[in-house]
Amino acid sequence: MNFPTTLDGLYINGRWSAGSEHLRVINPATEALLTTVNGGDQTSVDQAVSAATHAFKDWSQTSGSQRAVILRRIAAGVAEGREQLMQLQASNNGKPLFEAAIDVDDVIATFEYYAGLAEALDGNQDSRVELPTEDFSARLRREPCGVVGLIVPWNFPMVTTAWKLAPALAAGCCVVLKPSEVTPLPELQLAAIIAAAGLPDGVFNLVCGSGLAVGAPLSADPRIAKISFTGSNAVGVQVMQRAAETVKGVSLELGGKSSLLVLKDADIELAVELACGGGFFNAGQMCSATSRVLVAEELADEFLLRLQNRAEAIRVADPFDPNVEMGALVNQAQYQRVLGHIDRGLSSGAKLICGGNRPANLPRGYFLQPTVFTEVPLDSALWCEEIFGPVLCVRSFASEAEAIALANDSPFGLVASVVTGDGAAADRVANALQAGLVWINAPQVIFPQTAWGGYKQSSIGRELGPWGLQAFQEIKHVIRAV
Ligand code: NAD
């Protein structure tokens, strides 16, 4: 793909413009500069919030059905631009084209799903509330919470955005979106699709830029009713602190340290495939990575051998290579961070089974071999912290109770996977795990109908499903004397 040398990074009140912050956008597979995006600052945030505040007066009064028409147009626009969006995801993020296709299809499904929920709102508005007396009547309204700020990371550009943007628009909120400064290109293209979908000016605003230049003032602006943030815990805490000053609502989707549990009667081949999917999809840069693999001791030796063989056979390559299985990490900083984790893991005494280095045939780009450790100390950073790279830690367990305790022993609680041929054990273990989503014998499939989010320090609130919509609504009851 050929990119213009510079791109305007602001879409405010229905107009594109350039800000003063120059963001260098890199292709992680080649380390080459793709383009420069002119992002914004505090002034751009102020203008975007003003535009959204003005637009909210009318947009909040539209019916759900009217909003659904726009959401469906956005879904159709994304479907029409599918190939180009996939290429942008692959070029800017480093993920293989087949993974980018999954992302784009998820975006389409999310906008279509929330179009349906927006329509359903009309029939439920002002629903009657049963009271224990006939002296009063009561009705329930669900109203948009106001102007919202959406801040997203780089690992699933457009997807994390769609999970916030579609329900916010469906609820009747006006939006200021800040994409990651690392991967602004997919969101810029999505914004162009939204701009063509017929939204009134000011309902949707985009301000590209760094966290400090744009994210921080957005989190602090008193006219914003709610911040919905996906990213690291460190930044999530800062966002929450800034939002606290004006008692804003916050939804947070943060980190994870999730487990895949292979019970004693599991199909080993399936377990190996699911372990690779949970550890190496998106080069492991997933909040939902199941980077702890817990294996029943009866299966441990055979499982580890087969996992090693499979991991060593994974084809790491350019995202556009037709045979690629795993692409590049997103940038130099992330690459160094993951290599640092591998080094500290080795120093902690963990045993490297395979990987740990750059593939010999890929001298450029942020490529890393799929990496597997075992004998990882329980108090090491490798075991306890989110790595956000293609690194799995395998450990055996003697009993179901031990496996559950190991999986739950984390400040995070985002997801988990269970592999077993025993249906009763599957449900028993799934019910005991502290995680917002548990997959049984399944890859990490996500549906707009099921919630996304987790326990403990992984999340505040839930995205997707009706919960994703409720996150952008206020509840109002009207009680009348009869
Ligand atoms: P990050 O926290 O560094 O950045 C996320 C976003 O916040 C970016 O847009 C960034 O510019 C912005 N930001 C940075 N500093 C800010 C500040 N002071 N105020 C406001 N905004 C600021 O995260 P990242 O490196 O882009 O993404 C990786 C992290 O995201 C991982 O920890 C991962 O677990 C998490 N994540 C979580 C989920 C989930 O659903 N739970 C999904 C994807 C990623």
Side-chain angles (χ1 to χ4, degrees):
M1 286 185 99
N2 288 327
F3 294 91
T5 322
T6 57
L7 290 168
D8 288 351
L10 309 178
Y11 179 72
I12 298 174
N13 209 20
R15 280 206 309 278
W16 288 96
S17 60
S20 55
E21 193 188 27
H22 304 303
L23 308 169
R24 287 167 54 80
V25 186
I26 304 292
N27 177 345
T30 62
E31 303 178 36
L33 182 72
L34 287 172
T35 184
T36 303
V37 171
N38 293 318
D41 55 16
Q42 176 139 18
T43 307
S44 334
V45 170
D46 185 54
Q47 290 165 349
V49 178
S50 296
T53 306
H54 182 72
F56 185 69
K57 290 189 197 73
D58 289 338
W59 181 247
S60 59
Q61 300 306 312
T62 53
S63 68
S65 311
Q66 287 171 311
R67 300 195 291 271
V69 170
I70 306 270
L71 291 171
R72 289 219 167 84
R73 273 192 216 141
I74 296 172
V78 174
E80 203 178 314
R82 187 171 182 273
E83 278 300 318
Q84 190 193 5
L85 287 164
M86 283 164 51
Q87 290 180 18
L88 283 172
Q89 292 275 68
S91 307
N92 195 175
N93 173 276
K95 65 178 74 197
L97 270 183
F98 74 88
E99 293 190 9
I102 297 172
D103 286 9
V104 179
D105 291 343
D106 186 315
V107 173
I108 298 167
T110 303
F111 276 98
E112 281 175 351
Y113 172 72
Y114 282 107
L117 289 204
E119 277 167 344
L121 278 176
D122 292 342
N124 293 328
Q125 195 62 297
D126 294 308
S127 55
R128 188 183 139 91
V129 181
E130 290 300 328
L131 298 176
T133 168
E134 293 186 352
D135 297 340
F136 300 91
S137 69
R139 60 189 166 92
L140 165 62
R141 294 181 60 71
R142 292 182 179 82
E143 299 185 344
C145 69
V147 173
V148 295
L150 314 180
I151 303 176
V152 296
W154 45 256
N155 59 337
F156 289 96
M158 284 204 309
V159 175
T160 39
T161 292
W163 291 6
K164 300 177 189 307
L165 182 57
L169 294 177
C173 293
C174 291
V175 166
V176 180
L177 168 68
K178 192 204 98 57
S180 166
E181 61 273 40
V182 180
T183 53
L185 301 188
E187 261 78 8
L188 281 169
Q189 188 56 27
L190 180 65
I193 290 168
I194 295 170
L199 272 178
D201 290 349
V203 172
F204 166 78
N205 304 276
L206 173 89
V207 182
C208 292
S210 63
L212 284 180
V214 174
L218 191 59
S219 319
D221 192 302
R223 296 165 294 172
I224 299 251
K226 169 151 206 173
I227 294 285
S228 180
F229 171 85
T230 299
S232 62
N233 282 63
V235 175
V237 168
Q238 290 175 32
V239 165
M240 208 172 166
Q241 281 168 339
R242 286 207 174 83
E245 286 174 24
T246 49
V247 196
K248 285 183 190 44
V250 287
S251 291
L252 302 179
E253 290 299 338
L254 307 175
K257 188 72 191 177
S258 300
S259 294
L260 177 128
L261 291 79
V262 183
L263 306 191
K264 61 177 188 290
D265 38 24
D267 173 337
I268 295 192
E269 215 39 54
L270 176 66
V272 167
E273 275 316 302
L274 296 180
C276 289
F280 306 139
F281 191 85
N282 214 31
Q285 301 163 115
M286 300 188 287
C287 50
S288 60
T290 42
S291 56
R292 288 179 177 177
V293 180
L294 305 169
V295 190
E297 60 189 13
E298 297 88 331
L299 308 182
D301 290 344
E302 192 185 343
F303 173 85
L304 201 56
L305 191 62
R306 289 211 217 172
L307 178 62
Q308 177 185 351
N309 289 340
R310 179 71 189 97
E312 284 174 342
I314 286 176
R315 192 175 148 79
V316 182
D318 185 276
F320 291 89
D321 184 316
N323 298 317
V324 61
E325 289 185 273
M326 195 178 96
L329 276 73
V330 78
N331 62 12
Q332 170 83 16
Q334 188 60 19
Y335 194 60
Q336 292 304 336
R337 215 184 116 208
V338 176
L339 286 173
H341 267 294
I342 292 171
D343 281 349
R344 281 193 299 283
L346 290 169
S347 315
S348 75
K351 182 173 165 195
L352 184 67
I353 298 295
C354 62
N357 282 308
R358 168 186 289 281
N361 62 331
L362 293 167
R364 286 188 74 74
Y366 306 118
F367 293 101
L368 197 54
Q369 295 164 325
T371 299
V372 179
F373 279 97
T374 189
E375 298 173 26
V376 181
L378 288 177
D379 60 354
S380 64
L382 205 55
W383 185 259
C384 299
E385 292 176 16
E386 184 174 51
I387 296 170
F388 232 59
V391 181
L392 290 175
C393 298
V394 181
R395 187 178 188 89
S396 65
F397 61 83
S399 69
E400 200 176 288
E402 188 194 354
I404 292 166
L406 282 166
N408 286 341
D409 183 19
S410 167
F412 301 111
L414 191 55
V415 302
S417 293
V418 183
V419 195
T420 175
D422 177 342
D427 284 331
R428 200 166 54 233
V429 172
N431 294 351
L433 290 168
Q434 295 166 342
L437 176 53
V438 181
W439 290 281
I440 297 175
N441 295 333
Q444 293 199 0
V445 281
I446 299 170
F447 301 96
Q449 291 78 4
T450 55
W452 184 257
Y455 287 35
K456 300 188 269 187
Q457 292 181 30
S458 283
S459 306
I460 293 182
R462 291 290 186 274
E463 296 193 312
L464 297 180
W467 309 276
L469 183 65
Q470 287 158 15
F472 294 105
Q473 291 175 317
E474 289 287 4
I475 295 290
K476 179 189 280 180
H477 280 102
V478 181
I479 299 178
R480 181 190 293 257
V482 177

